Amino acid sequence: MSSKRRVTIAQIAEEAGVSVPTVSKVINGRPEVAPATRHRVERLLHKHGYQRRVSQDEGPAGLVDLVFAEIESPWAMEIVRGAEDAAHEAGASVVISVLHTHAGPGRDWLERLAARRTDGVVIVASKLSTTVQAQLSARSLPFVVVDPEGEPAPGVVSVGATNWHGGLAATRHLLELGHRRIGMISGPADMLCSQARIDGYRAALETAGVEAAAELIRRGTFLVDSGHDHGHALLSLDDPPTAIFAGSDLQAFGVFEAARQRGLRVPEDLSVVGFDDLPLSRSAWPPLTTVRQPLQEMAALAARTVLAMGRGEAPELRRVELATELIVRESTAPPHPFPPAP
């Protein structure tokens, strides 16, 4: 069977040694197929690049599935807004799924997805196993990953931000203010964006001739409690930092609380920089200096890309990173007293 010609369900069925209805059930996510048979059929569908036929009167479904690992965050709401804006412009709607795990979509979700006719899937901050990739491809469902947790597999289309440059800019800003003891709180070690922000932080310190002390680098989650707990830990050091770069705005708000509980003022006693530029960062007190991550633009680009892929258009790039920008507000100031230049 040549993969250059359009393969049919009948050909797949013959090669798999099953009936045509069985192949149809696999394509449509029906549960009544033995796991070994389903795997064999999906492997052949993926191998031959099977494309579902869509009748001319049926047309596109006008539906984008937006899949989150977790959604209990203002960060997620920015992603939703961006995806919905792009879908609305294209005359499509968004269906939101929450997995409540970072392990990635499972069989149940895939079967529910196949039961409704969707134009494509945008997967946000979740691991994407090779099995799930093959299952999506077997069903001819285009997908785009936003801010992937791990290194995307070859051929996977993904959208992110310039996290390394953001970490560099945040740390340089604090160095230029005169800070030399700069704490860093990042997210989970297995997330690419976390490591990229730390690498940018380290690069800025190294360029300035300042040691990146291991005791000043903490890893947690991107949530408020993590910023609070790691903020307390950093401020409890014998030689505490005069500034903290938090890997998210939510972490930065946690650092604010930790500083307040210790009787410290921001920015007089402690400078704080966040990452994301959530709407809350402008109304915090003091207003938060942060690195703007273009979350809405990232989500909109992912939604437009997956809709275009659903129309048969190939993406221009497999990996797109949108620019970050340092937004200076009132949570950063020179350390007191201002130290001499090294």
Side-chain angles (χ1 to χ4, degrees), residues 136-319:
L136 290 169
S137 298
R139 292 168 171 81
S140 302
L141 288 171
F143 60 94
V144 175
V145 180
V146 174
D147 205 5
E149 289 197 5
E151 182 69 31
V156 172
V157 181
S158 64
V159 178
T162 54
N163 290 290
W164 185 90
H165 287 283
L168 182 80
T171 311
R172 276 183 174 171
H173 169 65
L174 294 169
L175 288 165
E176 290 166 358
L177 288 172
H179 295 277
R180 294 299 178 266
R181 290 281 290 176
I182 302 172
M184 169 72 200
I185 305 173
S186 189
D190 59 351
M191 293 185 69
L192 280 181
C193 61
S194 299
Q195 188 57 51
R197 292 169 199 178
I198 291 177
D199 290 344
Y201 158 87
R202 290 182 184 275
L205 293 178
E206 182 179 350
T207 301
V210 176
E211 180 187 4
E215 65 181 1
L216 292 178
I217 302 174
R218 305 282 169 148
R219 295 182 185 272
T221 69
F222 286 127
L223 302 179
V224 173
D225 287 349
S226 180
H228 172 269
D229 295 345
H230 287 292
H232 267 301
L234 288 169
L235 296 171
S236 297
L237 294 172
D238 291 338
D239 185 11
T242 60
I244 294 177
F245 168 35
S248 74
D249 288 352
L250 295 181
Q251 280 184 341
F253 300 150
V255 173
F256 276 12
E257 180 63 12
R260 185 194 65 78
Q261 291 172 349
R262 304 179 75 88
L264 301 176
R265 301 164 299 165
V266 176
E268 292 86 352
D269 304 312
L270 178 72
S271 286
V272 180
V273 180
F275 202 108
D276 285 332
D277 194 28
L278 299 174
L280 290 171
S281 66
R282 296 186 286 275
S283 56
W285 189 254
L288 179 65
T289 295
T290 187
V291 176
R292 180 178 183 271
Q293 181 175 203
L295 296 171
Q296 291 193 30
E297 292 92 330
M298 289 160 59
L301 175 60
R304 287 195 297 268
T305 300
V306 84
L307 286 168
M309 291 167 67
R311 296 190 298 267
E313 301 174 20
E316 294 183 9
L317 298 172
R318 291 288 170 179
R319 172 65 178 171

Side-chain angles (χ1 to χ4, degrees), residues 34-109:
T37 301
R38 182 186 301 277
H39 177 73
R40 184 165 71 254
V41 171
E42 286 176 341
R43 181 176 57 80
L44 290 170
L45 290 167
H46 180 60
K47 172 185 174 182
H48 295 295
Y50 172 76
Q51 298 292 321
R52 290 180 296 179
R53 294 182 182 274
V54 178
S55 63
Q56 293 182 352
D57 60 338
E58 191 176 29
L63 198 64
V64 174
D65 271 79
L66 183 60
V67 186
F68 288 92
E70 304 287 349
I71 202 169
E72 294 83 6
S73 165
W75 184 94
M77 293 302 100
E78 294 299 293
I79 294 289
V80 171
R81 290 188 184 99
E84 285 191 329
D85 286 347
H88 178 74
E89 290 176 3
S93 299
V94 174
V95 174
I96 298 173
S97 300
V98 184
L99 303 176
H100 302 291
T101 174
H102 288 258
R107 169 69 66 185
D108 290 346
W109 173 79

